[in-house]
């Protein structure tokens, strides 16, 4: 629906034909954005020979499972292409908690926290990086942060 493949700055995914032994990167953006947000990063990754896939999450009003299937499919493709763990770059903290065994939370290019999702996605870290006071709720693996004012 976004005609992203027709865009002048479109950068195709780069996956090797056989496992290469180096980690690949999956760049995720979405809901109301598309993969064009990653154009500069894709150019840099391709120039460095790093396997990369950029995905756009489905539009709003899709079932949550649709987005999960898109992300899961991209991660599986990259694992198959590289034979290694995948580095996923995304801004949705709940998706990160669902998929990642390890999360690196950054602010201004600096690492704020590094570890298991439950150790990184704490209200203290979210306040430090995003400047908002939240309450964390867990649902299975999912960690959801709600503004403190929404749960009072």
């Amino acid at each position: 629906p976004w005609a992203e493949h027709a865009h002048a700055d479109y950068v195709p995914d780069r996956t090797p034909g056989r496992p290469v032994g180096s980690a690949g990167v999956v760049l995720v953006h979405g809901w109301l954005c598309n993969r064009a947000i990653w154009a500069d990063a894709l150019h840099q990754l391709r120039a460095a020979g790093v396997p990369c896939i950029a995905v756009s999450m489905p539009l709003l009003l899709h079932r949550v499972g649709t987005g999960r299937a898109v992300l899961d499919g991209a991660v599986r493709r990259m694992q198959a292409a590289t034979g290694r763990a995948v580095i996923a770059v995304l801004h949705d903290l709940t998706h990160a908690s669902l998929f990642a065994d390890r999360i690196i939370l950054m602010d201004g290019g600096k690492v704020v926290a590094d570890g298991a999702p439950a150790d990184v996605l704490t209200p203290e870290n979210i306040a430090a990086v995003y400047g908002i006071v939240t309450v964390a709720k867990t649902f299975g693996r999912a960690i959801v942060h709600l503004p403190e004012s929404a749960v009072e």
Side-chain angles (χ1 to χ4, degrees):
W2 295 95
E4 57 194 22
H5 299 287
H7 194 275
D9 292 334
Y10 177 77
V11 181
D13 294 335
R14 179 186 182 279
T15 55
R18 59 184 170 76
V20 294
S22 64
V25 177
V26 174
L27 303 166
V28 183
H29 210 272
W31 303 117
L32 293 175
C33 305
N34 65 19
R35 71 182 271 148
I37 193 87
W38 296 115
D40 289 341
L42 284 165
H43 282 295
Q44 292 171 6
L45 291 167
R46 285 181 65 84
V50 175
C52 54
I53 297 174
V55 296
S56 295
M57 298 301 280
L59 294 172
L60 288 173
L61 306 178
H62 276 270
R63 293 178 31 232
V64 172
T66 304
R68 182 171 171 92
V70 169
L71 184 51
D72 191 45
V75 169
R76 288 179 191 278
R77 273 182 48 214
M78 186 56 72
Q79 283 176 326
T82 63
R84 299 279 312 269
V86 174
I87 299 167
V89 180
L90 56 149
H91 61 81
D92 185 310
L93 301 178
T94 302
H95 271 114
S97 71
L98 284 167
F99 280 91
D101 296 319
R102 175 181 172 201
I103 293 177
I104 300 173
L105 181 64
M106 299 180 73
D107 186 19
K110 299 204 182 327
V111 174
V112 174
D114 179 353
D119 297 332
V120 172
L121 299 178
T122 64
E124 296 77 19
N125 287 339
I126 299 306
V129 172
Y130 299 104
I132 183 170
V133 178
T134 65
V135 174
K137 301 287 184 180
T138 57
F139 302 92
R141 277 188 63 127
I143 301 169
V144 179
H145 281 268
L146 302 167
E148 186 177 60
S149 60
V151 293
E152 292 179 339

